[in-house]
């Protein structure tokens, strides 16, 4: 039985190099960038106004107040998107708006609220407050200088980064291809929602949660038909799934029962089993295998074990497949409000709920068939074998809800 880290490193070393494709930036959200990206221009691209107001020479509006206003001659107006052709000379000002290029000669902008105009004298503006040099001016390049790195290889493109790239005029990005992931559920007891349940049958639930995790990790999930527990049926289903996908995730049928056919069906197809047991709870039976350049991840059928093992072992694999640099799940520091007890001899990944203040508590009964505590869990806390983490103790929650 492998330790978790050993299992993970065996998986990760088998992942191939990412495959490139160039996509429109609009389709790149959440994808892994593969090339360094340098800023083609500076941001802001030119000095501009941070306010609606008047561009002035700061020297013209010193020692100015409500009681002691100063009047300047209004010589023009420049809306955002326009450029003022003239120059702000001593004693003059130009009407500007947020984002207007700073007119030549001006070195400050006074916000509209600190000025007064008189409809009867449209050629002048009264200033009611002093301005310091460069007040309310946004400088060219103060945000990003042309040539600096704005995305690094291995980084997933966030909404914020996509905005930055868009502002730089970048319209396409080289990203990793996304793995096509087949989701197979094995078990003769399983039925699709909407089908009638005969005695002894249950609704299949793993493909949905696993599919959500696949998508979160940047993969493209595809649900395949239910597989009943026969060697021939499992083998045919695997063959079809491998023909259409880069990665196949099966659930169930990886234990030691006489109806557990995933391992045998996979080797019958020519697949090479790498390992099939990991020392964690929930989820001891977990199969990793390779078929050419494609991979099998066989997670246990118990819904909790299926999601936990996927989260710990398949999620990082899918990310590595895409060349992602950061494979670890997001973590959240918190404090236990109740003890977490692991009496067993394997690491127990306990489902927990976190409140906004950082209090962490078990999300319910921890048996691996309990879906209610799965639904209420924000993530997991890794509790070592034969260990009790006491109430009040700080813990790190592996977040799976973000
Ligand atoms: P197995 O890993 O095939 O031995 O299944 C372990 C337990 O999980 C059994 O109670 C199964 O009925 C249940 N199970 C297996 N696959 C699924 C599934 N896809 N959806 C819901 N329950 C499942
Ligand atoms: Mg089964």
């Amino acid at each position: 039985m492998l330790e978790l880290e050993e299992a993970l490193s065996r998986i990760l070393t088998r992942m191939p190099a990412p495959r490139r494709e160039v996509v429109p930036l609009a389709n790149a959200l959440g994808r892994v960038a593969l090339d360094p990206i340098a800023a083609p221009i500076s941001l802001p691209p030119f000095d501009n106004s941070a306010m609606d107001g008047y561009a002035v020479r700061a020297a013209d509006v010193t020692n100015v107040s409500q009681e002691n206003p100063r009047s300047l001659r209004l010589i023009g107006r420049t809306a955002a998107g326009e450029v003022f052709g003239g120059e702000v000379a001593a004693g003059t000002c130009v009407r500007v708006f947020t984002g207007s290029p700073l007119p030549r000669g001006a070195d400050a902008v006074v916000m509209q609220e600190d000025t007064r105009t008189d409809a009867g004298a449209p050629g002048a503006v009264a200033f009611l407050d002093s301005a310091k040099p460069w007040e309310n001016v946004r400088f060219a390049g103060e945000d990003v200088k042309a040539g600096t790195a704005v995305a690094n290889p291995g980084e997933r493109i966030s909404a914020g980064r996509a905005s930055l790239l868009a502002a730089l005029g970048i319209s396409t990005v080289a990203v990793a291809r996304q793995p096509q992931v087949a989701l197979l559920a094995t078990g003769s007891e399983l039925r699709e929602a909407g089908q009638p349940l005969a005695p002894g049958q249950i609704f299949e639930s793993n493909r949905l949660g696993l599919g959500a995790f696949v998508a979160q990790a940047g993969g493209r999930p595809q649900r395949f038909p239910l597989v009943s527990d026969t060697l021939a049926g499992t083998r045919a289903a695997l063959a079809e799934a491998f023909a259409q996908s880069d990665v196949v995730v099966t659930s169930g049928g990886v234990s030691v029962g006489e109806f557990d056919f995933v391992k045998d069906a996979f080797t019958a197809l020519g697949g090479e089993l790498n390992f099939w047991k990991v020392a964690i709870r929930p989820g001891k039976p977990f199969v990793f295998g390779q078929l050419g350049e494609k991979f099998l991840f066989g997670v246990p059928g118990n819904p909790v074990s299926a999601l936990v093992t996927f989260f710990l072992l398949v999620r990082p694999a899918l990310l590595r497949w895409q060349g992602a640099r950061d494979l670890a799940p997001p973590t959240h520091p918190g404090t236990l409000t109740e003890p977490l007890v692991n009496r067993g001899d394997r690491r127990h990944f306990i489902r927990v709920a976190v409140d906004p203040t950082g209090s962490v508590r078990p999300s319910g009964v921890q048996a691996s068939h309990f879906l209610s505590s799965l639904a209420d869990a924000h993530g997991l806390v890794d509790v070592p074998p034969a260990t009790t983490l006491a109430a009040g103790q700080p813990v790190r929650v592996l977040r799976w809800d973000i």
Side-chain angles (χ1 to χ4, degrees), residues 33-329:
L34 289 185
D35 293 341
I37 301 178
I41 58 172
S42 290
L43 282 184
F46 46 84
D47 294 348
N48 68 89
S49 173
M51 291 284 177
D52 292 336
Y54 295 87
V56 298
R57 292 179 172 231
D60 280 347
V61 278
T62 48
N63 299 318
V64 166
S65 64
Q66 294 269 1
E67 298 72 36
N68 183 29
R70 169 84 206 269
S71 180
L72 296 178
R73 192 158 60 86
L74 181 64
I75 58 166
R77 191 179 95 134
T78 169
E82 292 174 358
V83 174
F84 183 64
E87 179 165 354
V88 175
T92 69
C93 64
V94 167
R95 177 80 169 120
V96 292
F97 304 91
T98 305
S100 296
L102 189 70
R104 208 149 34 89
D107 67 357
V109 171
V110 177
M111 64 177 175
Q112 191 169 318
E113 292 84 338
D114 291 337
T115 66
R116 197 172 53 219
T117 51
D118 180 349
V125 179
F127 289 81
L128 312 175
D129 200 4
S130 300
K132 293 192 194 66
W134 308 117
E135 196 167 310
N136 296 324
V137 173
R138 308 193 292 205
F139 293 107
E142 71 177 4
D143 181 4
V144 175
K145 293 207 171 26
T148 54
V150 285
N152 296 307
E155 215 166 61
R156 289 186 85 182
I157 296 175
S158 64
R161 192 159 307 280
S163 299
L164 169 61
L165 299 179
L168 292 164
I170 291 168
S171 58
T172 59
V173 200
V175 293
R177 197 159 78 67
Q178 298 174 284
Q180 187 67 35
V181 181
L183 298 170
L184 264 59
T186 75
S188 298
E189 74 281 26
L190 303 176
R191 285 294 174 273
E192 300 277 11
Q195 293 180 337
L197 284 187
Q201 296 179 335
I202 59 171
F203 291 121
E204 195 283 322
S205 60
N206 286 340
R207 289 170 304 166
L208 209 74
L210 292 171
F213 272 176
V214 167
Q216 244 183 29
R220 294 173 173 275
Q222 190 186 353
R223 282 189 284 163
F224 278 69
L226 298 176
V227 184
S228 37
D229 293 318
T230 65
L231 181 59
T234 308
R235 182 183 163 153
L238 280 179
E240 182 61 23
F242 273 107
Q244 293 188 41
S245 322
D246 303 299
V247 170
V248 176
V249 177
T250 60
S251 90
V254 289
S255 255
V256 293
E258 55 262 55
F259 293 106
D260 293 327
F261 292 114
V262 170
K263 294 193 294 286
D264 287 348
F266 179 63
T267 47
L269 279 180
E272 170 214 344
L273 278 181
N274 193 306
F275 63 82
W276 70 279
K277 270 186 184 175
V278 183
I280 56 173
R281 187 170 155 231
K284 177 170 73 178
F286 174 93
V287 168
F288 173 55
Q290 189 166 356
L291 179 64
E293 277 283 272
K294 302 186 173 187
F295 301 94
L296 172 74
F297 297 97
V299 303
N302 267 315
V304 176
S305 316
L307 286 194
V308 170
T309 54
F310 183 98
F311 182 69
L312 296 174
L313 291 162
V314 189
R315 179 187 177 279
L318 295 181
L319 289 169
R320 172 61 61 82
W321 197 96
Q322 297 165 87
R325 200 183 41 194
D326 206 358
L327 306 183

